[in-house]
Amino acid sequence: MIPVNSVLQVGHFPEIMQAEIDRRLSPVRHLNLDAPIPSGNFEAILIRSNTKLPQSLIQQIPSIRLVATCGVGYDNLPLPYLKANNIKASNTPGVLNDAVCELAIGMMLSLMRRIPESQEYVKSSAWSKAPFKLTTTLAGKRVGIAGMGRIGQDLAQRLEPFKVEIAYTGPSPKKFPYTYYQSIQELAKASDVLFLACPATPKTEKLVNAKVLDALGPSGYLINIARGSVVDEVALLDALQHNQIAGAALDVFDNEPNPNSAFFSLNNVLLTPHIGSATSETRIAMTNLAVDNLEAFFTQQPLPSEVNN
């Protein structure tokens, strides 16, 4: 049982998620981060992973002992401060793997087969004048995955039936039947399609730079379902504009929800508005896991998905 006035909800949640929250607890909502903090006996914060949690806000509530973020990413949290002050953090991994991997596969196929462009070709009646251009098949290609965590592993399993050769990179090799490369530049050089599924950390900041894109080459495709910070967008734009890579499919950007408009005029990109987990089923599951963490905290049980920061 979660006590009344013990959870501060920071920021807005979509209607379907808010309904699930309200079904299971009665949080005090703090929707405008610039407004004064409401009064309450707060021991926990509930927040979405796309809402930045200011350290200054937590400092004003010394009773906070848990921050439950709804999302697999937790780069929105001031982790060093939480660790220094013995404040637990939780996220919602696993429950969004299916939705994220489904989108990743869809983005890859849409980019390589130019599906959005082909639909417009039919709608514009251009098909009656000439056949649509030839595209690229996936079978037989080399696919690299940067980040072999939960999502990377599920993505690899979904890729196997497509008759591709799979390789990966990460901090260390794991017991998978895929080729391991120590650096992302080596992986890019050995890949026709490069997926980014790694977490956003200081170590992965601008992990994909000009050298990595050059290694991927003019026939290579980049698919980013990780975070915008993982890619040097200036270098990526330059590579796309000069056809140094074949194309990129991006679900995440540096400046969300207002990405660099230079992407909009390119015909070798596929852009989606950070919708990796944006299905009704997934968002409900994410919300419930976040609330499960809150319930475990207040009943002094182990957190189902604690962030080891």
Side-chain angles (χ1 to χ4, degrees):
M1 186 71 178
I2 300 174
V4 176
N5 292 337
S6 63
V7 177
L8 181 67
Q9 176 187 316
V10 176
H12 292 270
F13 279 69
E15 183 178 353
I16 192 171
M17 301 175 77
Q18 189 65 59
E20 201 65 17
I21 292 169
D22 295 341
R23 183 182 69 83
R24 297 189 59 184
L25 70 150
S26 299
V28 176
R29 300 186 194 181
H30 182 47
L31 305 183
N32 181 1
L33 274 66
D34 295 324
I37 298 173
S39 59
N41 301 313
F42 304 122
E43 295 182 57
I45 288 173
L46 176 62
I47 191 169
R48 290 187 69 201
S49 61
N50 65 345
T51 301
K52 192 77 173 178
L53 180 61
Q55 179 176 310
S56 58
L57 187 150
I58 310 175
Q59 289 173 325
Q60 296 176 63
I61 318 174
S63 55
I64 292 294
R65 308 281 13 119
L66 168 69
V67 177
T69 187
C70 196
V72 67
Y74 42 82
D75 49 308
N76 62 318
L77 306 181
L79 292 178
Y81 178 82
L82 298 184
K83 184 176 182 180
N85 290 273
N86 198 31
I87 299 172
K88 294 180 180 292
S90 65
N91 64 339
T92 59
V95 294
L96 46 64
N97 290 12
D98 289 340
V100 173
C101 290
E102 288 166 3
L103 181 70
I105 297 291
M107 292 178 73
M108 172 188 62
L109 294 173
S110 294
L111 178 67
M112 296 179 71
R113 297 299 300 268
R114 294 183 173 269
I115 294 174
E117 184 181 342
S118 65
Q119 175 175 268
E120 292 306 313
Y121 200 77
V122 174
K123 286 184 174 182
S124 68
S125 299
W127 188 21
S128 64
K129 301 177 180 65
F132 189 66
K133 68 185 73 174
L134 295 179
T135 59
T136 302
T137 192
L138 175 62
K141 296 294 190 295
R142 302 166 302 166
V143 178
I145 302 173
M148 196 54 93
R150 293 181 180 89
I151 290 176
Q153 292 172 42
D154 277 16
L155 182 59
Q157 291 174 3
R158 284 167 171 78
L159 285 165
E160 287 180 0
F162 285 98
K163 302 177 183 178
V164 297
E165 179 183 328
I166 300 171
Y168 72 102
T169 190
S172 60
K174 299 182 179 182
K175 294 182 179 179
F176 299 127
Y178 314 123
T179 303
Y180 173 76
Y181 288 92
Q182 191 168 3
S183 76
I184 190 169
Q185 189 169 337
E186 292 174 318
L187 178 66
K189 189 173 182 179
S191 299
D192 299 300
V193 181
L194 178 61
F195 282 95
L196 304 181
C198 51
T201 68
K203 290 184 178 180
T204 61
E205 180 85 16
K206 291 183 171 54
L207 181 69
V208 175
N209 53 27
K211 290 183 179 179
V212 172
L213 294 168
D214 183 61
L216 186 58
S219 62
Y221 295 88
L222 179 73
I223 319 292
N224 189 5
I225 53 167
R227 282 290 189 268
S229 62
V230 175
V231 176
D232 182 340
E233 283 195 355
V234 173
L236 176 59
L237 278 166
D238 184 67
L240 290 165
Q241 289 164 348
H242 295 92
N243 296 311
Q244 292 170 350
I245 64 171
L250 311 172
D251 186 47
V252 289
F253 305 86
D254 263 347
N255 186 32
E256 298 180 9
N258 300 297
N260 192 326
S261 60
F263 284 114
F264 304 164
S265 60
L266 299 174
N267 62 8
N268 54 353
V269 296
L270 177 72
L271 312 174
T272 54
H274 202 154
I275 55 171
S277 66
T279 71
S280 300
E281 298 87 349
T282 300
R283 290 292 169 86
I284 289 174
M286 290 167 62
T287 305
N288 277 304
L289 180 51
V291 177
D292 288 347
N293 277 288
L294 290 170
E295 287 190 341
F297 169 76
F298 282 105
T299 56
Q300 299 182 9
Q301 299 296 316
L303 302 185
S305 51
E306 182 173 357
V307 173
N308 295 314
N309 62 339

